[in-house]
Short mmCIF file of all heavy atoms in Angstrom, two decimals:
data_model
loop_
_atom_site.label_atom_id
_atom_site.label_comp_id
_atom_site.label_asym_id
_atom_site.label_seq_id
_atom_site.Cartn_x
_atom_site.Cartn_y
_atom_site.Cartn_z
N MET A 1 -18.38 -28.86 18.04
CA MET A 1 -17.47 -27.77 18.42
C MET A 1 -16.68 -27.30 17.21
O MET A 1 -15.50 -27.06 17.28
CB MET A 1 -16.52 -28.25 19.52
CG MET A 1 -17.24 -28.74 20.77
SD MET A 1 -18.08 -27.40 21.65
CE MET A 1 -16.70 -26.79 22.64
N THR A 2 -17.34 -27.26 16.09
CA THR A 2 -16.62 -26.83 14.89
C THR A 2 -17.06 -25.46 14.44
O THR A 2 -16.79 -25.04 13.33
CB THR A 2 -16.84 -27.84 13.74
OG1 THR A 2 -18.23 -28.01 13.54
CG2 THR A 2 -16.20 -29.17 14.07
N ASN A 3 -17.75 -24.78 15.32
CA ASN A 3 -18.15 -23.42 14.95
C ASN A 3 -16.92 -22.55 14.76
O ASN A 3 -16.04 -22.51 15.60
CB ASN A 3 -19.01 -22.81 16.05
CG ASN A 3 -20.42 -23.39 16.01
OD1 ASN A 3 -20.80 -24.04 15.05
ND2 ASN A 3 -21.18 -23.15 17.06
N GLN A 4 -16.90 -21.88 13.64
CA GLN A 4 -15.79 -20.96 13.39
C GLN A 4 -16.33 -19.54 13.37
O GLN A 4 -16.67 -19.01 12.33
CB GLN A 4 -15.09 -21.30 12.07
CG GLN A 4 -14.34 -22.61 12.14
CD GLN A 4 -13.45 -22.81 10.94
OE1 GLN A 4 -13.67 -22.20 9.90
NE2 GLN A 4 -12.44 -23.64 11.07
N THR A 5 -16.42 -18.99 14.52
CA THR A 5 -16.92 -17.62 14.62
C THR A 5 -15.86 -16.66 14.09
O THR A 5 -14.74 -16.67 14.57
CB THR A 5 -17.22 -17.26 16.07
OG1 THR A 5 -18.16 -18.18 16.58
CG2 THR A 5 -17.79 -15.86 16.16
N PRO A 6 -16.23 -15.89 13.11
CA PRO A 6 -15.26 -14.91 12.57
C PRO A 6 -14.87 -13.91 13.64
O PRO A 6 -15.72 -13.27 14.25
CB PRO A 6 -16.02 -14.21 11.45
CG PRO A 6 -17.24 -15.04 11.20
CD PRO A 6 -17.52 -15.79 12.47
N ILE A 7 -13.60 -13.81 13.86
CA ILE A 7 -13.11 -12.84 14.82
C ILE A 7 -12.85 -11.52 14.12
O ILE A 7 -12.20 -11.48 13.08
CB ILE A 7 -11.81 -13.33 15.48
CG1 ILE A 7 -12.08 -14.64 16.24
CG2 ILE A 7 -11.24 -12.27 16.41
CD1 ILE A 7 -10.82 -15.26 16.82
N THR A 8 -13.41 -10.50 14.68
CA THR A 8 -13.16 -9.18 14.11
C THR A 8 -12.62 -8.25 15.18
O THR A 8 -12.94 -8.37 16.36
CB THR A 8 -14.45 -8.57 13.52
OG1 THR A 8 -15.42 -8.48 14.55
CG2 THR A 8 -14.98 -9.40 12.39
N VAL A 9 -11.81 -7.36 14.75
CA VAL A 9 -11.31 -6.32 15.64
C VAL A 9 -11.63 -4.97 15.01
O VAL A 9 -11.89 -4.88 13.81
CB VAL A 9 -9.78 -6.44 15.85
CG1 VAL A 9 -9.45 -7.76 16.54
CG2 VAL A 9 -9.05 -6.32 14.55
N LYS A 10 -11.62 -3.97 15.82
CA LYS A 10 -11.88 -2.64 15.29
C LYS A 10 -10.56 -1.97 14.93
O LYS A 10 -9.62 -1.94 15.73
CB LYS A 10 -12.63 -1.79 16.31
CG LYS A 10 -14.09 -2.19 16.46
CD LYS A 10 -14.82 -1.23 17.37
CE LYS A 10 -16.30 -1.59 17.46
NZ LYS A 10 -17.03 -0.68 18.37
N CYS A 11 -10.54 -1.43 13.74
CA CYS A 11 -9.37 -0.69 13.32
C CYS A 11 -9.11 0.44 14.33
O CYS A 11 -9.99 1.25 14.58
CB CYS A 11 -9.59 -0.10 11.93
SG CYS A 11 -8.29 1.01 11.41
N PRO A 12 -7.93 0.46 14.93
CA PRO A 12 -7.64 1.48 15.94
C PRO A 12 -7.73 2.90 15.39
O PRO A 12 -7.93 3.85 16.15
CB PRO A 12 -6.20 1.17 16.35
CG PRO A 12 -6.00 -0.26 15.98
CD PRO A 12 -6.82 -0.47 14.74
N THR A 13 -7.60 3.04 14.10
CA THR A 13 -7.60 4.37 13.52
C THR A 13 -9.00 4.85 13.17
O THR A 13 -9.41 5.93 13.57
CB THR A 13 -6.72 4.39 12.27
OG1 THR A 13 -5.39 4.01 12.63
CG2 THR A 13 -6.68 5.78 11.65
N CYS A 14 -9.76 4.03 12.46
CA CYS A 14 -11.05 4.49 11.96
C CYS A 14 -12.21 3.67 12.50
O CYS A 14 -13.36 3.92 12.14
CB CYS A 14 -11.07 4.48 10.44
SG CYS A 14 -11.05 2.83 9.72
N LYS A 15 -11.91 2.69 13.37
CA LYS A 15 -12.94 1.90 14.06
C LYS A 15 -13.74 1.00 13.14
O LYS A 15 -14.80 0.52 13.50
CB LYS A 15 -13.90 2.83 14.82
CG LYS A 15 -13.20 3.88 15.67
CD LYS A 15 -12.20 3.26 16.62
CE LYS A 15 -11.52 4.36 17.46
NZ LYS A 15 -10.42 3.82 18.29
N THR A 16 -13.23 0.77 11.95
CA THR A 16 -13.90 -0.15 11.05
C THR A 16 -13.66 -1.58 11.50
O THR A 16 -12.53 -1.94 11.82
CB THR A 16 -13.35 0.02 9.62
OG1 THR A 16 -13.65 1.33 9.16
CG2 THR A 16 -13.97 -0.99 8.68
N PRO A 17 -14.68 -2.42 11.55
CA PRO A 17 -14.50 -3.83 11.89
C PRO A 17 -13.57 -4.51 10.89
O PRO A 17 -13.78 -4.43 9.69
CB PRO A 17 -15.92 -4.41 11.80
CG PRO A 17 -16.83 -3.24 11.97
CD PRO A 17 -16.10 -2.07 11.35
N VAL A 18 -12.54 -5.16 11.42
CA VAL A 18 -11.56 -5.81 10.56
C VAL A 18 -11.54 -7.30 10.87
O VAL A 18 -11.36 -7.69 12.01
CB VAL A 18 -10.15 -5.23 10.80
CG1 VAL A 18 -9.12 -5.91 9.91
CG2 VAL A 18 -10.15 -3.72 10.57
N PRO A 19 -11.77 -8.15 9.88
CA PRO A 19 -11.72 -9.59 10.09
C PRO A 19 -10.31 -10.04 10.43
O PRO A 19 -9.35 -9.68 9.73
CB PRO A 19 -12.20 -10.17 8.75
CG PRO A 19 -11.91 -9.11 7.75
CD PRO A 19 -12.06 -7.80 8.47
N TRP A 20 -10.19 -10.80 11.50
CA TRP A 20 -8.86 -11.24 11.94
C TRP A 20 -8.48 -12.50 11.18
O TRP A 20 -8.59 -13.62 11.67
CB TRP A 20 -8.89 -11.50 13.46
CG TRP A 20 -7.53 -11.64 14.04
CD1 TRP A 20 -6.84 -12.82 14.24
CD2 TRP A 20 -6.65 -10.60 14.51
NE1 TRP A 20 -5.62 -12.56 14.80
CE2 TRP A 20 -5.48 -11.22 14.97
CE3 TRP A 20 -6.77 -9.20 14.55
CZ2 TRP A 20 -4.41 -10.48 15.50
CZ3 TRP A 20 -5.70 -8.48 15.08
CH2 TRP A 20 -4.56 -9.11 15.54
N VAL A 21 -8.05 -12.30 9.94
CA VAL A 21 -7.70 -13.42 9.06
C VAL A 21 -6.32 -13.16 8.46
O VAL A 21 -5.83 -12.03 8.46
CB VAL A 21 -8.74 -13.58 7.93
CG1 VAL A 21 -10.08 -14.01 8.50
CG2 VAL A 21 -8.87 -12.30 7.14
N ALA A 22 -5.75 -14.23 7.95
CA ALA A 22 -4.41 -14.12 7.40
C ALA A 22 -4.36 -13.16 6.22
O ALA A 22 -3.36 -12.50 5.97
CB ALA A 22 -3.92 -15.49 6.95
N GLU A 23 -5.49 -13.10 5.51
CA GLU A 23 -5.53 -12.23 4.34
C GLU A 23 -5.48 -10.77 4.71
O GLU A 23 -5.16 -9.91 3.89
CB GLU A 23 -6.79 -12.52 3.52
CG GLU A 23 -6.76 -13.84 2.80
CD GLU A 23 -7.03 -15.01 3.74
OE1 GLU A 23 -7.42 -14.75 4.89
OE2 GLU A 23 -6.83 -16.16 3.34
N GLN A 24 -5.79 -10.48 5.96
CA GLN A 24 -5.79 -9.09 6.40
C GLN A 24 -4.37 -8.70 6.80
O GLN A 24 -3.95 -8.85 7.94
CB GLN A 24 -6.76 -8.90 7.57
CG GLN A 24 -7.00 -7.45 7.93
CD GLN A 24 -7.67 -6.67 6.81
OE1 GLN A 24 -8.47 -7.21 6.06
NE2 GLN A 24 -7.34 -5.41 6.69
N ALA A 25 -3.63 -8.24 5.84
CA ALA A 25 -2.19 -8.03 6.02
C ALA A 25 -1.90 -6.92 7.02
O ALA A 25 -0.83 -6.90 7.62
CB ALA A 25 -1.54 -7.70 4.69
N PHE A 26 -2.84 -6.05 7.23
CA PHE A 26 -2.55 -4.87 8.06
C PHE A 26 -3.27 -4.91 9.39
O PHE A 26 -3.36 -3.91 10.08
CB PHE A 26 -2.92 -3.59 7.29
CG PHE A 26 -2.23 -3.50 5.96
CD1 PHE A 26 -2.94 -3.66 4.79
CD2 PHE A 26 -0.86 -3.28 5.90
CE1 PHE A 26 -2.31 -3.58 3.56
CE2 PHE A 26 -0.23 -3.20 4.68
CZ PHE A 26 -0.95 -3.35 3.50
N LYS A 27 -3.81 -6.08 9.74
CA LYS A 27 -4.55 -6.17 10.99
C LYS A 27 -3.65 -5.79 12.17
O LYS A 27 -2.47 -6.07 12.15
CB LYS A 27 -5.12 -7.58 11.18
CG LYS A 27 -4.08 -8.70 11.28
CD LYS A 27 -4.82 -10.03 11.45
CE LYS A 27 -3.87 -11.17 11.63
NZ LYS A 27 -3.05 -11.44 10.46
N PRO A 28 -4.18 -5.16 13.19
CA PRO A 28 -5.60 -4.92 13.38
C PRO A 28 -6.15 -3.72 12.60
O PRO A 28 -7.27 -3.32 12.84
CB PRO A 28 -5.68 -4.63 14.88
CG PRO A 28 -4.39 -3.95 15.18
CD PRO A 28 -3.38 -4.64 14.29
N PHE A 29 -5.36 -3.21 11.70
CA PHE A 29 -5.84 -2.06 10.93
C PHE A 29 -6.57 -2.53 9.68
O PHE A 29 -6.33 -3.62 9.18
CB PHE A 29 -4.67 -1.17 10.53
CG PHE A 29 -3.86 -0.71 11.71
CD1 PHE A 29 -2.74 -1.41 12.10
CD2 PHE A 29 -4.25 0.39 12.44
CE1 PHE A 29 -2.00 -1.01 13.20
CE2 PHE A 29 -3.52 0.79 13.54
CZ PHE A 29 -2.39 0.09 13.93
N CYS A 30 -7.44 -1.69 9.16
CA CYS A 30 -8.22 -2.06 7.99
C CYS A 30 -7.42 -1.86 6.72
O CYS A 30 -7.73 -2.41 5.69
CB CYS A 30 -9.52 -1.25 7.95
SG CYS A 30 -9.26 0.51 7.63
N SER A 31 -6.38 -1.07 6.79
CA SER A 31 -5.62 -0.77 5.59
C SER A 31 -4.23 -0.26 5.99
O SER A 31 -3.98 0.09 7.15
CB SER A 31 -6.32 0.31 4.76
OG SER A 31 -6.38 1.51 5.51
N GLN A 32 -3.35 -0.25 5.01
CA GLN A 32 -2.01 0.26 5.29
C GLN A 32 -2.05 1.74 5.68
O GLN A 32 -1.29 2.21 6.51
CB GLN A 32 -1.13 0.09 4.06
CG GLN A 32 0.32 0.50 4.32
CD GLN A 32 1.21 0.31 3.11
OE1 GLN A 32 0.76 0.42 1.98
NE2 GLN A 32 2.46 0.01 3.34
N ARG A 33 -2.99 2.43 5.10
CA ARG A 33 -3.12 3.85 5.40
C ARG A 33 -3.39 4.06 6.89
O ARG A 33 -2.74 4.87 7.55
CB ARG A 33 -4.26 4.43 4.56
CG ARG A 33 -4.54 5.89 4.86
CD ARG A 33 -5.61 6.42 3.92
NE ARG A 33 -6.17 7.66 4.40
CZ ARG A 33 -7.19 7.74 5.23
NH1 ARG A 33 -7.75 6.63 5.67
NH2 ARG A 33 -7.64 8.89 5.65
N CYS A 34 -4.35 3.30 7.41
CA CYS A 34 -4.69 3.44 8.82
C CYS A 34 -3.52 2.98 9.68
O CYS A 34 -3.26 3.53 10.75
CB CYS A 34 -5.94 2.63 9.14
SG CYS A 34 -7.46 3.49 8.66
N GLN A 35 -2.81 1.97 9.23
CA GLN A 35 -1.66 1.48 9.98
C GLN A 35 -0.60 2.57 10.10
O GLN A 35 -0.07 2.83 11.17
CB GLN A 35 -1.06 0.26 9.28
CG GLN A 35 0.10 -0.34 10.06
CD GLN A 35 0.74 -1.49 9.30
OE1 GLN A 35 1.01 -1.39 8.10
NE2 GLN A 35 0.96 -2.59 9.98
N LEU A 36 -0.32 3.21 9.01
CA LEU A 36 0.70 4.25 9.00
C LEU A 36 0.27 5.44 9.85
O LEU A 36 1.06 6.05 10.56
CB LEU A 36 0.98 4.70 7.57
CG LEU A 36 1.67 3.64 6.71
CD1 LEU A 36 1.82 4.15 5.27
CD2 LEU A 36 3.03 3.26 7.27
N ILE A 37 -1.01 5.75 9.78
CA ILE A 37 -1.53 6.86 10.59
C ILE A 37 -1.34 6.56 12.06
O ILE A 37 -0.87 7.40 12.83
CB ILE A 37 -3.02 7.09 10.27
CG1 ILE A 37 -3.17 7.66 8.87
CG2 ILE A 37 -3.64 8.03 11.30
CD1 ILE A 37 -4.62 7.77 8.42
N ASP A 38 -1.70 5.34 12.45
CA ASP A 38 -1.62 4.98 13.87
C ASP A 38 -0.17 4.91 14.32
O ASP A 38 0.18 5.36 15.40
CB ASP A 38 -2.30 3.65 14.12
CG ASP A 38 -2.45 3.38 15.60
OD1 ASP A 38 -3.37 3.96 16.19
OD2 ASP A 38 -1.65 2.63 16.15
N LEU A 39 0.68 4.33 13.51
CA LEU A 39 2.09 4.25 13.87
C LEU A 39 2.69 5.64 14.02
O LEU A 39 3.52 5.89 14.89
CB LEU A 39 2.86 3.45 12.82
CG LEU A 39 2.61 1.95 12.85
CD1 LEU A 39 3.35 1.27 11.70
CD2 LEU A 39 3.04 1.34 14.16
N GLY A 40 2.25 6.54 13.19
CA GLY A 40 2.73 7.91 13.29
C GLY A 40 2.32 8.53 14.60
O GLY A 40 3.12 9.16 15.29
N ASP A 41 1.05 8.34 14.96
CA ASP A 41 0.57 8.88 16.22
C ASP A 41 1.29 8.23 17.39
O ASP A 41 1.67 8.89 18.34
CB ASP A 41 -0.94 8.62 16.35
CG ASP A 41 -1.72 9.47 15.37
OD1 ASP A 41 -1.14 10.43 14.83
OD2 ASP A 41 -2.90 9.17 15.15
N TRP A 42 1.46 6.91 17.28
CA TRP A 42 2.09 6.16 18.35
C TRP A 42 3.52 6.65 18.56
O TRP A 42 3.97 6.85 19.68
CB TRP A 42 2.06 4.68 17.99
CG TRP A 42 2.71 3.81 19.01
CD1 TRP A 42 2.13 3.30 20.14
CD2 TRP A 42 4.06 3.33 19.01
NE1 TRP A 42 3.04 2.54 20.82
CE2 TRP A 42 4.23 2.55 20.16
CE3 TRP A 42 5.15 3.50 18.14
CZ2 TRP A 42 5.44 1.92 20.46
CZ3 TRP A 42 6.35 2.89 18.45
CH2 TRP A 42 6.48 2.10 19.59
N ALA A 43 4.23 6.84 17.50
CA ALA A 43 5.62 7.28 17.62
C ALA A 43 5.68 8.66 18.25
O ALA A 43 6.54 8.95 19.07
CB ALA A 43 6.28 7.30 16.24
N THR A 44 4.74 9.49 17.86
CA THR A 44 4.71 10.83 18.43
C THR A 44 4.42 10.78 19.92
O THR A 44 5.07 11.44 20.72
CB THR A 44 3.62 11.68 17.74
OG1 THR A 44 3.89 11.70 16.34
CG2 THR A 44 3.60 13.08 18.29
N GLU A 45 3.45 9.96 20.27
CA GLU A 45 3.09 9.84 21.68
C GLU A 45 4.23 9.23 22.48
O GLU A 45 4.47 9.59 23.63
CB GLU A 45 1.84 8.96 21.83
CG GLU A 45 0.59 9.61 21.26
CD GLU A 45 0.23 10.89 22.01
OE1 GLU A 45 0.35 10.89 23.24
OE2 GLU A 45 -0.14 11.87 21.36
N ALA A 46 4.96 8.31 21.88
CA ALA A 46 6.02 7.61 22.59
C ALA A 46 7.08 8.59 23.08
O ALA A 46 7.67 8.41 24.15
CB ALA A 46 6.66 6.58 21.67
N HIS A 47 7.31 9.61 22.30
CA HIS A 47 8.33 10.58 22.68
C HIS A 47 7.91 11.37 23.92
O HIS A 47 8.72 12.01 24.57
CB HIS A 47 8.59 11.55 21.53
CG HIS A 47 9.35 10.92 20.40
ND1 HIS A 47 10.62 10.41 20.55
CD2 HIS A 47 9.01 10.69 19.11
CE1 HIS A 47 11.03 9.91 19.40
NE2 HIS A 47 10.07 10.05 18.51
N LYS A 48 6.60 11.33 24.20
CA LYS A 48 6.11 12.10 25.34
C LYS A 48 6.15 11.30 26.64
O LYS A 48 5.90 11.82 27.69
CB LYS A 48 4.66 12.53 25.08
CG LYS A 48 4.52 13.42 23.85
CD LYS A 48 3.05 13.76 23.61
CE LYS A 48 2.90 14.62 22.35
NZ LYS A 48 1.47 14.90 22.07
N ILE A 49 6.46 10.00 26.51
CA ILE A 49 6.48 9.14 27.69
C ILE A 49 7.91 9.08 28.25
O ILE A 49 8.81 8.55 27.59
CB ILE A 49 6.02 7.71 27.33
CG1 ILE A 49 4.62 7.77 26.73
CG2 ILE A 49 6.03 6.84 28.59
CD1 ILE A 49 4.13 6.42 26.22
N PRO A 50 8.13 9.62 29.42
CA PRO A 50 9.47 9.61 30.01
C PRO A 50 9.84 8.25 30.56
O PRO A 50 9.01 7.55 31.14
CB PRO A 50 9.35 10.64 31.15
CG PRO A 50 7.90 10.61 31.53
CD PRO A 50 7.14 10.29 30.26
N GLY A 51 11.08 7.88 30.37
CA GLY A 51 11.59 6.64 30.96
C GLY A 51 11.05 5.38 30.33
O GLY A 51 11.00 4.36 30.97
N GLU A 52 10.64 5.46 29.06
CA GLU A 52 10.15 4.25 28.42
C GLU A 52 11.29 3.58 27.65
O GLU A 52 11.52 3.86 26.49
CB GLU A 52 9.00 4.58 27.46
CG GLU A 52 7.64 4.41 28.09
CD GLU A 52 7.37 2.94 28.41
OE1 GLU A 52 8.22 2.09 28.13
OE2 GLU A 52 6.31 2.67 28.97
N SER A 53 11.98 2.69 28.30
CA SER A 53 13.11 2.02 27.66
C SER A 53 12.64 0.94 26.70
O SER A 53 13.41 0.38 25.95
CB SER A 53 14.03 1.40 28.70
OG SER A 53 13.31 0.49 29.49
N VAL A 54 11.35 0.65 26.72
CA VAL A 54 10.81 -0.40 25.87
C VAL A 54 11.05 -0.10 24.40
O VAL A 54 11.18 -0.96 23.57
CB VAL A 54 9.30 -0.58 26.12
CG1 VAL A 54 8.70 -1.58 25.15
CG2 VAL A 54 9.07 -1.01 27.56
N PHE A 55 11.12 1.17 24.08
CA PHE A 55 11.19 1.56 22.69
C PHE A 55 12.63 1.66 22.16
O PHE A 55 12.84 2.00 21.01
CB PHE A 55 10.50 2.91 22.50
CG PHE A 55 9.07 2.90 22.95
CD1 PHE A 55 8.66 3.69 24.01
CD2 PHE A 55 8.15 2.08 22.32
CE1 PHE A 55 7.34 3.66 24.43
CE2 PHE A 55 6.83 2.06 22.73
CZ PHE A 55 6.43 2.84 23.81
N SER A 56 13.59 1.34 22.99
CA SER A 56 14.97 1.49 22.56
C SER A 56 15.28 0.57 21.38
O SER A 56 15.98 0.95 20.45
CB SER A 56 15.92 1.17 23.72
OG SER A 56 15.68 -0.14 24.19
N ASP A 57 14.77 -0.64 21.40
CA ASP A 57 15.00 -1.56 20.30
C ASP A 57 14.38 -1.03 19.02
O ASP A 57 14.95 -1.13 17.95
CB ASP A 57 14.40 -2.93 20.61
CG ASP A 57 15.24 -3.66 21.65
OD1 ASP A 57 16.38 -3.22 21.87
OD2 ASP A 57 14.75 -4.65 22.22
N LEU A 58 13.21 -0.46 19.14
CA LEU A 58 12.54 0.07 17.96
C LEU A 58 13.33 1.23 17.38
O LEU A 58 13.39 1.43 16.19
CB LEU A 58 11.13 0.54 18.34
CG LEU A 58 10.15 -0.60 18.65
CD1 LEU A 58 8.84 -0.03 19.13
CD2 LEU A 58 9.94 -1.46 17.42
N ASP A 59 13.95 1.99 18.25
CA ASP A 59 14.76 3.10 17.77
C ASP A 59 15.88 2.61 16.87
O ASP A 59 16.20 3.20 15.86
CB ASP A 59 15.35 3.87 18.95
CG ASP A 59 14.27 4.69 19.65
OD1 ASP A 59 13.25 4.98 19.02
OD2 ASP A 59 14.48 5.02 20.82
N ASN A 60 16.47 1.50 17.25
CA ASN A 60 17.53 0.94 16.43
C ASN A 60 17.00 0.50 15.07
O ASN A 60 17.62 0.72 14.04
CB ASN A 60 18.15 -0.27 17.13
CG ASN A 60 18.91 0.17 18.38
OD1 ASN A 60 19.35 1.30 18.47
ND2 ASN A 60 19.03 -0.73 19.35
N GLY A 61 15.84 -0.13 15.08
CA GLY A 61 15.27 -0.64 13.84
C GLY A 61 14.75 0.45 12.94
O GLY A 61 14.69 0.29 11.74
N LEU A 62 14.37 1.56 13.53
CA LEU A 62 13.78 2.63 12.74
C LEU A 62 14.75 3.78 12.54
O LEU A 62 14.37 4.89 12.24
CB LEU A 62 12.52 3.16 13.43
CG LEU A 62 11.40 2.11 13.59
CD1 LEU A 62 10.26 2.68 14.40
CD2 LEU A 62 10.90 1.64 12.24
N GLY A 63 16.02 3.51 12.74
CA GLY A 63 17.01 4.56 12.68
C GLY A 63 17.06 5.23 11.32
O GLY A 63 17.38 6.41 11.23
N GLU A 64 16.73 4.46 10.29
CA GLU A 64 16.83 5.05 8.95
C GLU A 64 15.54 5.73 8.53
O GLU A 64 15.44 6.25 7.43
CB GLU A 64 17.17 3.95 7.95
CG GLU A 64 16.11 2.85 7.94
CD GLU A 64 16.61 1.64 7.15
OE1 GLU A 64 17.80 1.58 6.88
OE2 GLU A 64 15.79 0.76 6.85
N THR A 65 14.58 5.71 9.40
CA THR A 65 13.32 6.37 9.08
C THR A 65 13.49 7.88 9.07
O THR A 65 14.08 8.45 9.98
CB THR A 65 12.23 6.00 10.11
OG1 THR A 65 12.07 4.59 10.11
CG2 THR A 65 10.91 6.64 9.75
N GLU A 66 12.99 8.48 8.04
CA GLU A 66 13.09 9.92 7.97
C GLU A 66 12.28 10.57 9.06
O GLU A 66 11.23 10.11 9.42
CB GLU A 66 12.62 10.41 6.60
CG GLU A 66 11.18 9.98 6.32
CD GLU A 66 10.81 10.29 4.87
OE1 GLU A 66 11.53 11.05 4.25
OE2 GLU A 66 9.82 9.73 4.40
N ASP A 67 12.75 11.65 9.54
CA ASP A 67 12.09 12.30 10.65
C ASP A 67 11.50 13.62 10.18
O ASP A 67 12.21 14.52 9.84
CB ASP A 67 13.08 12.55 11.79
CG ASP A 67 12.33 12.89 13.08
OD1 ASP A 67 11.11 13.08 13.03
OD2 ASP A 67 12.98 12.97 14.12
ZN1 ZN B 101 -8.99 1.92 9.42
#
């Protein structure tokens, strides 16, 4: 039972297979670029969701983010 099957995930932005390893700093994204792209989309979409109090904490943490 020592098989170590490499776990991979698909980059949510560009669908590139990403190895789920510690070295992959931006997982599940393949790169920081894709991470930033997805976070940008996510933030935009979040504003369209009414009554989502889940994001209130994030708003505090990202208060200094330029808009
Ligand atoms: Zn990607």
Side-chain angles (χ1 to χ4, degrees):
M1 302 292 275
T2 55
N3 284 347
Q4 291 190 339
T5 303
I7 298 175
T8 58
V9 296
K10 286 186 177 179
C11 172
T13 301
C14 69
K15 312 306 180 187
T16 297
V18 180
W20 193 266
V21 294
E23 289 77 10
Q24 190 64 33
F26 304 109
K27 63 180 183 294
F29 304 95
C30 68
S31 63
Q32 185 179 31
R33 176 176 164 272
C34 280
Q35 183 184 47
L36 292 176
I37 290 173
D38 190 79
L39 286 176
D41 290 345
W42 179 85
T44 302
E45 292 297 319
H47 287 298
K48 299 177 182 177
I49 302 175
E52 265 293 359
S53 58
V54 175
F55 302 116
S56 58
D57 287 345
L58 289 175
D59 287 338
N60 292 335
L62 298 174
E64 59 192 14
T65 302
E66 58 189 344
D67 195 351

